[in-house]
Amino acid sequence: LAAPSGHRVELYSETLDAMRFPGKEIEPEVLALLARKYADRRIDAVVAVAPSALEFAEKYRARLWPSARIVYHSVPDQVLDRIGLSADTTGVPVRLALADTVELALGLRPRTKRVVVISGVGDYDRMMVGLARADLARFADRVQVEYWLDRTVDDMIVQVASLPSDAIVVYLTVYRDAGGNVFTPRV
């Protein structure tokens, strides 16, 4: 985009912030705002970051940016099938290797009896837990796999500190905890 060319390039940045706030509740207002804001602009490309943005971009492409190509990133490959990509959409999916991570941890700590998976209750958090459950089901006969979702971050910190040495922790994301607290986690 920065290379010299004969045309002007403008970049616009928008966020749905759907990882921290339920996007479905305000989707009509966001759609109306974007439609009004970009009504007189030609958009050539949309970069969608994360599943919720890609779903929104695909769903409203015809209304908001009918001639644009969509490029996505930070979307797990396991969710691409349910989104249903159009021909003008491309990107590089994220491969979540949770089972590989747990396998490595068990190799490094062979006396492990418990795997504690930590996540929040936001939409993105729940999606990640669904992927983790599918990926980690194969360990059920080797270790106890627990999912800590119904807790506040403060409670999780206290409880993780008291875990015995035969437990490992897999942290997914906590965009919203069970107490309704909103976070921007490092992922």
Side-chain angles (χ1 to χ4, degrees):
L1 292 175
S5 67
H7 63 279
R8 183 174 163 205
V9 175
E10 278 190 69
L11 300 176
Y12 304 101
S13 178
E14 301 289 347
T15 181
L16 300 175
D17 209 3
M19 291 186 187
R20 294 184 301 160
F21 301 98
K24 300 296 180 202
E25 295 174 11
I26 60 170
E27 191 171 284
E29 290 90 349
V30 171
L31 176 61
L33 174 64
L34 293 176
R36 184 172 179 199
K37 190 173 180 180
Y38 295 108
D40 298 326
R41 304 266 190 247
R42 178 181 163 183
I43 304 298
D44 296 310
V46 173
V47 178
V49 180
S52 55
L54 179 57
E55 289 176 276
F56 185 91
E58 286 287 341
K59 184 176 180 180
Y60 297 114
R61 170 197 298 253
R63 182 168 174 190
L64 295 174
W65 35 75
S67 62
R69 296 198 180 264
I70 296 173
V71 179
Y72 66 85
H73 71 83
S74 301
V75 178
D77 55 1
Q78 297 95 322
V79 301
L80 286 173
D81 289 339
R82 77 171 165 79
I83 293 176
L85 303 179
S86 63
D88 287 342
T89 300
T90 190
V92 178
V94 172
R95 181 180 175 273
L96 297 177
L98 297 174
D100 294 344
T101 300
V102 170
E103 196 66 62
L104 174 63
L106 294 175
L108 294 171
R109 299 183 57 99
R111 293 189 179 142
T112 298
K113 294 183 178 144
R114 252 168 106 186
V115 174
V116 177
V117 180
I118 293 178
S119 191
V121 297
D123 292 342
Y124 187 82
D125 301 326
R126 285 195 306 269
M127 181 211 59
M128 291 294 292
V129 169
L131 297 176
R133 285 185 193 278
D135 218 19
L136 302 181
R138 66 168 135 160
F139 295 100
D141 61 337
R142 293 171 57 191
V143 293
Q144 177 184 350
V145 180
E146 299 175 25
Y147 292 86
W148 289 6
L149 321 170
D150 57 346
R151 301 150 203 242
T152 66
V153 166
D154 291 339
D155 289 342
M156 284 189 249
I157 291 169
V158 169
Q159 292 166 355
V160 165
S162 66
L163 283 172
S165 62
D166 64 356
I168 59 172
V169 174
V170 176
Y171 171 81
L172 299 176
T173 60
V174 179
Y175 280 95
R176 192 171 339 115
D177 71 9
N181 302 302
V182 178
F183 301 92
T184 303
R186 298 230 181 241
V187 290

